[in-house]
Amino acid sequence: MLRLRLFLFLAAFLSVCGLSPAAEVDKLILAHYMPWYATKEVSGAWGWHWTMDHFDPERVRWDGEREAASHDYPLIGLYDSGDDHALECQVLLMKFGGLDGVIIDWYGTKDALDFTANHRHTEKLVPWLKKAGLKFAICYEDQALGQAVKAKAIPAGETFAQAKSDLRWAQEHWFGDEAYVKQDGRPVMLVFGPQYLQREQWSELRGALSSKPMIFGLPHLAKDLGLDGIFGWPPVEGGKTLAAEQWRKELDALYARSGAGESVIATAFPEFKDIYKQAGVHDSYGTIAPRFGATFSESLDLAMKSGSPIVQVATWNDYGEGTMIEPTRKRGYRYLEILQKRKGVKSFGVADLRLPVMLDQLRKRSLGDAEIVGELDKAAALLFAAKCLEAEPVLAKVSTTLGKRPATFADFPRESDDDYRLVSEVLYREGKDITGAMQQRCRLDLYFPTHHQPSATVVWFHGGGLTAGERSIPMQLRNRGVAVIAVNYRLNPEAKSPAFIEDAAAAVAWTFKHIANYGGSPDKVFVAGHSAGAYLALMVGLDKHWLVAHDVDADRIAGLIPLSPQVITHFAIRDERGVDEKQPVVDEFAPLFHVRKDAPPMLIVTGDREKELMGRYEECAYFWRMMKLVGHKDVTLHELDGFDHGKMPEPAFSLLLRFIESHSTQNAAK
């Protein structure tokens, strides 16, 4: 009786808060996981899901990214779903981010196309999930039966027998596993569609399985096929862009069916932007904008408040459809940070999320060195045991050790620059007031030559609109006789202005104070960047008060090299204030506001004025003219005909290197 009273009290309390008793309690959050990626190094060839018979990962962009079938890029680089190091990293990220497990997209056991590899990858993934204490379920793709028929891997008359064999295999090997997801004591199985088998076949299949799994299908198909329940998915169709109020309406309708007695698996998603049209596969399904993380936050919130006991995040890693919450170059850890906060994760913080990625990158760079591998295994064991504070110094020690050897990069581990070293994950903010966000984002990588003559140094800030992006050592600056410091900084909207400018100044100040320890000269420090990074370079070099805060005079900078910078107040800052991106503002956050004749020498490069971002060349031309008018004696503007905003850095680097060479010589002569 007492328990009943307590439950009624809890129900009343949650009702007042706008929640049902089942809304937040014991809800599983599972990410839909794709096991279908293959790389040349691990599998012998690049898989279709990286190429889609259109893109060539052997082509490498100026920023080190390989060409791939995606609008974004994995933070750990293009990976193979059968690579144990990638799987180790992924399950740790899932654990740290607050996921309870995954729903694995499974094509069955048949030997056709890449289905065998997908099955093998799934078998490899499951033990890693269990090691991390995570759960798993499968989503059976019955459309694979039809694809196998088209590929002449099985006759059309044997598809049902193959489906029965597939599901019996799953029952024998997975459904009884303690880590397998169950609802009301029954194993949960999703079917994407179904798209191939008919109602009577599904009825017979269910009867043939002694485990009596609960089978969920898409909302418009499940009921007609007699399945047990439905699951949500990003509701795109017809190539349209779906506004937030539209997809919210779709989700409200889905969760209303749960209130009417149907069994529903809720859904959350970060965005939707497929690559199919660009790859020539078929027309686009449509688009759902990320809205700087708001789409994921809102869809997750709706799912958590629904009556569904299971939430499926769509997806962990579908790069073809652009629905990944896995950390990427553009989005960073944003979606896992949102999930951490929404779940109220206590064991791990924002800064801990970078540790599994650091582990993965160091494993690639270790090249199988037994001593280093042993240390990394020790760090991994600590991470699986949730001992991040103990694991971090182990990883830092390995990074320092590797920094004394010829430079290798995680994406190109078999290549090395014998005369260069690479030190990664250096924290450049100091003091007692460092936040978790600073611990995660205020990091730099240092690539430097080992010759004894003091070298010039390029401090390089990445682009991404101050809202996205990840540091990298540009390909055209590798093995060119200069040191390169690639810098991350805090991003908007999580960080508000002027946090990112403060970070940029701190990174430049760190360079002046420490570069001599790495063979560089404090008299040859050049500050550069692309797009938003170029904006930061100019702000730090023109408005002297940012570096004065670190006891550094901005006039010590040997040269400023902004590639396609915004010189009016940055649009991300204007967006903070509710100012439209087409409304120009020039105030203290505009490089144009700080033109001065005694600024460091300057090389400004833009793309073609007809292909650049709106008005970017004209902005820079006016800025160049104003620098000349105030009496600056060394400012040059280049326009690169035929190159757009994203591709203009590649030819610009030759101009950058020429500028550095000439101005390093001038400084040496002084």
Side-chain angles (χ1 to χ4, degrees):
M1 191 66 173
L2 179 59
R3 288 182 181 178
L4 176 60
R5 287 175 180 170
L6 286 172
F7 177 79
L8 291 174
F9 171 78
L10 178 62
F13 174 76
L14 292 174
S15 177
V16 169
C17 296
L19 304 174
S20 67
E24 302 283 355
V25 181
D26 298 328
K27 196 179 292 288
L28 284 178
I29 302 182
L30 311 169
H32 196 96
Y33 182 92
M34 308 302 185
W36 55 33
Y37 297 104
T39 64
K40 186 176 181 179
E41 182 170 1
V42 177
S43 294
W46 293 100
W48 185 87
H49 289 280
W50 287 135
T51 71
M52 294 192 183
D53 296 329
H54 180 82
F55 299 96
D56 181 7
E58 291 300 299
R59 296 176 183 166
V60 182
R61 290 172 19 122
W62 64 267
D63 57 4
E65 291 185 7
R66 295 181 181 273
E67 186 178 280
S70 176
H71 294 291
D72 205 342
Y73 199 81
L75 194 56
I76 62 173
L78 301 189
Y79 56 81
D80 194 295
S81 298
D83 180 4
D84 281 311
H85 294 164
L87 298 177
E88 174 185 61
C89 176
Q90 288 177 325
V91 300
L92 284 170
L93 285 168
M94 293 171 190
K95 181 182 180 74
F96 289 13
L99 285 172
D100 297 301
V102 299
I103 297 173
I104 307 168
D105 205 78
W106 188 57
Y107 279 54
T109 60
K110 55 199 146 297
D111 185 10
L113 303 172
D114 62 351
F115 303 161
T116 302
N118 294 350
H119 177 60
R120 184 173 65 250
H121 296 163
T122 301
E123 288 189 285
K124 291 193 77 171
L125 172 62
V126 169
W128 281 110
L129 292 166
K130 293 168 69 172
K131 182 175 182 178
L134 301 176
K135 296 183 175 294
F136 74 100
I138 60 167
C139 178
Y140 185 57
E141 291 265 10
D142 74 332
Q143 64 165 315
L145 299 167
Q147 294 174 12
V149 171
K150 288 182 181 179
K152 298 182 179 179
I154 56 175
E158 295 182 12
T159 54
F160 180 68
Q162 180 64 53
K164 187 180 294 186
S165 174
D166 289 339
L167 297 189
R168 281 178 170 167
W169 192 98
Q171 176 175 259
E172 179 182 350
H173 293 86
W174 290 332
F175 289 170
D177 195 305
E178 289 185 1
Y180 196 88
V181 176
K182 298 177 180 66
Q183 185 170 321
D184 299 329
R186 297 166 60 188
V188 169
M189 186 182 85
L190 280 63
V191 181
F192 206 87
Q195 301 179 64
Y196 189 81
L197 299 177
Q198 304 302 307
R199 181 185 180 96
E200 61 276 7
Q201 292 174 308
W202 279 109
S203 178
E204 186 175 341
L205 274 175
R206 293 170 66 188
L209 297 173
S210 59
S211 56
K212 306 301 178 189
M214 289 190 70
I215 303 177
F216 293 77
L218 292 173
H220 61 292
L221 297 170
K223 187 173 183 180
D224 291 340
L225 292 166
L227 304 186
D228 297 284
I230 57 178
F231 67 90
W233 200 254
V236 290
E237 63 175 344
K240 301 174 183 176
T241 297
L242 211 62
E245 56 269 20
Q246 292 173 294
W247 59 253
R248 284 197 210 100
K249 184 178 179 180
E250 294 275 358
L251 293 183
D252 287 340
L254 177 70
Y255 303 147
R257 293 173 66 169
S258 176
E262 288 190 69
S263 189
V264 175
I265 292 177
T267 187
F269 42 83
E271 54 186 300
F272 194 104
K273 186 178 182 181
D274 64 49
I275 197 76
Y276 298 136
K277 185 174 182 179
Q278 290 88 331
V281 176
H282 52 64
D283 288 340
S284 171
Y285 287 127
T287 303
I288 296 175
R291 299 162 53 238
F292 305 110
T295 294
F296 186 51
S297 292
E298 292 168 12
S299 63
L300 180 60
D301 198 51
L302 286 173
M304 294 294 282
K305 292 178 179 178
S306 73
S308 306
I310 298 174
V311 175
Q312 177 178 221
V313 177
T315 62
W316 176 260
N317 62 339
D318 193 337
Y319 284 87
E321 296 189 351
T323 54
M324 314 78 64
I325 65 165
E326 176 177 47
T328 65
R329 283 276 189 97
K330 285 185 181 178
R331 310 298 182 214
Y333 301 90
R334 173 172 288 160
Y335 297 130
L336 293 186
E337 291 175 21
I338 291 170
L339 182 58
Q340 265 190 347
K341 186 175 181 180
R342 187 63 180 80
K343 277 286 293 285
V345 174
K346 302 296 184 184
S347 302
F348 307 101
V350 167
D352 296 327
L353 290 170
R354 67 185 177 83
L355 297 179
V357 173
M358 186 177 178
L359 171 65
D360 175 79
Q361 305 298 279
L362 292 174
R363 284 200 184 280
K364 290 174 181 173
R365 291 178 57 200
S366 72
L367 301 179
D369 181 291
E371 183 178 350
I372 289 179
V373 169
E375 287 296 298
L376 293 175
D377 287 344
K378 176 182 175 182
L382 290 169
L383 292 177
F384 275 102
K387 297 179 179 179
C388 295
L389 288 176
E390 296 176 39
E392 184 165 8
V394 179
L395 293 171
K397 180 182 176 182
V398 171
S399 180
T400 300
T401 300
L402 289 174
K404 298 175 182 177
R405 301 181 181 184
T408 58
F409 293 87
D411 278 334
F412 310 95
R414 302 304 165 191
E415 301 175 14
S416 65
D417 294 342
D418 291 341
D419 296 327
Y420 292 79
R421 301 293 181 264
L422 176 65
V423 177
S424 60
E425 287 285 333
V426 178
L427 181 66
Y428 62 81
R429 298 290 312 232
E430 300 173 348
K432 298 179 180 179
D433 299 326
I434 295 178
T435 64
M438 289 180 180
Q439 283 278 357
Q440 185 199 84
R441 287 292 304 180
C442 295
R443 301 270 171 173
L444 59 82
D445 291 344
L446 173 62
Y447 172 82
F448 58 98
T450 56
H451 56 68
H452 295 295
Q453 181 179 353
S455 62
T457 300
V458 180
V459 181
W460 179 257
F461 294 108
H462 67 79
L466 299 178
T467 65
E470 184 69 20
R471 69 185 186 269
S472 66
I473 309 293
M475 298 294 289
Q476 283 81 357
L477 296 184
R478 299 180 189 181
N479 200 18
R480 297 303 298 268
V482 297
V484 184
I485 294 179
V487 183
N488 270 4
Y489 45 87
R490 284 172 293 168
L491 299 173
N492 185 274
E494 291 83 4
K496 304 300 182 184
S497 59
F500 21 79
I501 305 174
E502 293 170 346
D503 291 346
V508 172
W510 185 96
T511 302
F512 276 109
K513 294 173 183 177
H514 297 281
I515 195 59
N517 298 332
Y518 300 92
S521 169
D523 296 324
K524 301 178 184 178
V525 174
F526 296 82
V527 182
H530 173 236
S531 194
Y535 165 82
L536 293 175
L538 285 177
M539 285 300 299
V540 169
L542 292 174
D543 183 356
K544 299 182 72 170
H545 96 273
W546 299 110
L547 279 173
V548 165
H550 299 274
D551 298 321
V552 174
D553 186 345
D555 290 347
R556 291 183 64 192
I557 296 172
L560 298 172
I561 313 171
L563 307 186
S564 193
Q566 181 130 68
V567 296
I568 61 175
T569 300
H570 198 278
F571 63 78
I573 299 175
R574 283 179 278 147
D575 186 65
E576 281 185 16
R577 305 170 182 173
V579 178
D580 187 84
E581 63 177 1
K582 294 184 180 67
Q583 177 63 54
V585 172
V586 177
D587 61 13
E588 70 273 20
F589 292 118
L592 186 58
F593 187 82
H594 300 284
V595 294
R596 56 188 179 90
K597 68 177 183 180
D598 55 346
M602 195 177 307
L603 170 67
I604 310 162
V605 189
T606 78
D608 190 314
R609 69 187 72 186
E610 298 301 331
K611 295 186 176 184
E612 263 284 7
L613 295 180
M614 51 187 180
R616 187 59 56 93
Y617 167 78
E618 288 79 5
E619 272 186 56
C620 290
Y622 182 69
F623 174 71
W624 168 81
R625 178 60 66 188
M626 292 306 298
M627 289 294 294
K628 299 282 284 186
L629 289 175
V630 298
H632 196 285
K633 301 299 184 182
D634 191 354
V635 56
T636 304
L637 171 66
H638 281 278
E639 176 187 8
L640 298 173
D641 291 347
F643 290 91
D644 63 19
H645 183 73
K647 294 180 180 178
M648 61 78 58
E650 189 161 353
F653 282 116
S654 61
L655 299 172
L656 178 151
L657 287 167
R658 196 181 310 157
F659 179 86
I660 288 174
E661 182 179 6
S662 66
H663 286 76
S664 295
T665 303
Q666 291 174 20
N667 286 353
K670 291 180 181 178

